[in-house]
Amino acid sequence: YREYQDHHAFTKANLDTARPQVFDPQKGALSEQEFDSFCASLNLRLQLFDWQVERPLEFFQSRNFFGTVRAAVSNKLLTTIVRRPIQLSMLKWSDVLPAGRRFDDPRIDPSHEVGSLGIDQLQIRLFHAKGYGRSWRTSPEKYPISLNVQNSEILSNYKRLYMRGVRLLLEKNGGSISQQELVKAVSDMPIFISFDFFMLEVSSLNDLSALFTDKSRALHLSECTITMNTRYVSVESNRVDSCTVTSNRIRHTVLTRGAQAGLSATTLAKITGVTVPAARHYIDLDYDSRLMIDDLYVGSEFLAAVFSNPLEQVSNDEDEVCLLYT
């Protein structure tokens, strides 16, 4: 019917066609062993780093030294807050505050911020990724995220290390700055900063103010670099020879486990930052179906292994028999 063509065209153009590869052993949700192994590797790397040692400026100028610590912290935060690498790339120190303090951001309802919990804990403000008309750091998420005590301590230790690097750079170039001025100066600097910064000739607070503002993109670590950091973490797997962890796989894992635990699509969307329709894909696939697909994957791997060996056909008068060499 011609009168419905416009309606059909609109509906077809706006259907949600995304189909997450939830059970793909290479791209989908991580198994319990894989996810636990990944988290253990992240925690061990951070536990082995001595935050109390005072490093020289050369430490901050090195991809192998400061770059390694920065990667470990970004991996930990990426896993903790279950967000996209681009959202970590946009972060500045002004986006991290102690629980109980306000961001004073008119775009965030004060009732949505994290109140004081009576313990030392941080909250973090995130911005929606670019797209749908949003530009760099203009559209904050409705709810800041609360970090637990352990992750708050990691981020605090990283900030102290980071600030020492900034101070050493200023001193090298003949500048000096008080602790209060330093805290204020780094607020507009990227949390995950390119180590190229520590090779610049920056000597004053004015130099820092000229480089960094609330909307500046200068020296923010690229989305690609943050994305690649997770791929360098060694992970044990009982399904594949080489297990690669990505931010997408982390979200698949959290969404799948949340759906199995009976969480609603709205709750899953809030936890992971995806849209409610995207979260609903995990809800619509019921738990029995998930178990069936998991069993079929295991069966497929078993059959593929069994019948990957050569066959020889043997004939007698009436029947033909295939012999399997193992």
Side-chain angles (χ1 to χ4, degrees):
Y1 296 93
R2 286 189 295 274
E3 60 266 33
Y4 292 108
Q5 287 180 355
D6 290 343
H7 298 283
H8 174 66
F10 174 84
T11 304
K12 185 177 180 181
N14 289 277
L15 284 174
D16 184 6
T17 58
R19 290 293 181 269
Q21 297 172 301
V22 180
F23 298 103
D24 189 311
Q26 296 288 351
K27 298 180 179 180
L30 298 164
S31 69
E32 186 171 347
Q33 180 190 17
E34 291 165 349
F35 188 67
D36 288 349
S37 174
F38 176 71
C39 291
S41 295
L42 295 184
N43 292 334
L44 181 62
R45 184 167 298 182
L46 289 166
Q47 289 166 7
L48 292 176
F49 185 77
D50 190 347
W51 298 100
Q52 305 306 317
V53 175
E54 293 191 356
R55 272 87 179 176
L57 181 60
E58 290 74 20
F59 171 89
F60 298 92
Q61 296 171 334
S62 170
R63 187 187 305 273
N64 293 328
F65 294 133
F66 178 70
T68 299
V69 178
R70 183 189 59 194
V73 175
S74 72
N75 283 341
K76 181 68 173 177
L77 190 59
L78 194 73
T79 306
T80 300
I81 64 177
V82 202
R83 290 301 188 274
R84 294 175 174 82
I86 181 62
Q87 293 177 277
L88 267 67
S89 175
M90 286 192 283
L91 285 174
K92 295 180 182 288
W93 285 112
S94 59
D95 298 320
V96 178
L97 290 178
R101 287 183 56 186
R102 290 186 54 188
F103 287 102
D104 292 325
D105 188 331
R107 298 165 297 184
I108 297 178
D109 189 325
S111 65
H112 295 160
E113 295 178 303
V114 181
S116 177
L117 302 174
I119 54 177
D120 293 332
Q121 195 165 336
L122 298 176
Q123 58 177 324
I124 186 167
R125 169 183 58 184
L126 291 151
F127 290 83
H128 289 288
K130 293 180 292 184
Y132 304 105
R134 302 182 181 119
S135 57
W136 179 265
R137 291 178 56 82
T138 59
S139 179
E141 290 190 2
K142 188 176 181 181
Y143 301 95
I145 296 176
S146 173
L147 300 180
N148 64 23
V149 174
Q150 180 194 42
N151 291 315
S152 296
E153 184 178 2
I154 290 171
L155 202 54
S156 296
N157 285 333
Y158 172 67
K159 185 176 183 180
R160 280 192 289 270
L161 177 74
Y162 181 110
M163 290 172 64
R164 172 168 173 77
V166 176
R167 181 182 292 279
L168 288 173
L169 178 64
L170 292 172
E171 292 175 352
K172 174 182 178 292
N173 293 298
S176 63
I177 190 171
S178 69
Q179 183 66 17
Q180 186 176 1
E181 289 174 328
L182 182 58
V183 171
K184 183 178 179 181
V186 301
S187 64
D188 285 331
M189 294 177 63
I191 292 180
F192 300 108
I193 192 169
S194 169
F195 62 84
D196 291 339
F197 166 76
F198 298 102
M199 301 176 189
L200 300 177
E201 294 185 3
V202 177
S203 60
S204 68
L205 185 59
N206 289 336
D207 291 342
L208 290 175
S209 299
L211 271 174
F212 304 107
T213 67
D214 178 57
K215 298 293 190 298
S216 65
R217 305 189 186 203
L219 297 165
H220 280 254
L221 200 63
S222 70
E223 173 188 4
C224 180
T225 301
I226 295 175
T227 298
M228 293 303 295
N229 284 340
T230 59
R231 297 175 182 268
Y232 300 132
V233 180
S234 177
V235 177
E236 295 180 359
S237 174
N238 54 356
R239 299 190 297 170
V240 293
D241 293 334
S242 178
C243 180
T244 301
V245 177
T246 65
S247 63
N248 283 337
R249 297 197 72 182
I250 293 171
R251 285 198 302 279
H252 280 320
T253 304
V254 173
L255 286 163
T256 301
R257 291 187 178 186
Q260 290 174 346
L263 299 181
S264 68
T266 303
T267 301
L268 290 175
K270 182 178 177 181
I271 291 172
T272 59
V274 303
T275 63
V276 172
R280 194 169 288 122
H281 285 303
Y282 298 82
I283 301 295
D284 291 344
L285 190 60
D286 62 83
Y287 185 62
D288 290 338
S289 298
R290 297 171 195 278
L291 291 178
M292 179 188 72
I293 293 174
D294 277 344
D295 290 341
L296 290 176
Y297 263 117
V298 173
S300 297
E301 292 172 2
F302 170 75
L303 293 173
V306 168
F307 292 105
S308 62
N309 295 309
L311 298 173
E312 179 180 334
Q313 195 170 55
V314 179
S315 178
N316 59 24
D317 292 338
E318 297 181 1
D319 301 309
E320 290 186 346
V321 179
C322 288
L323 301 179
L324 174 64
Y325 290 95
T326 58

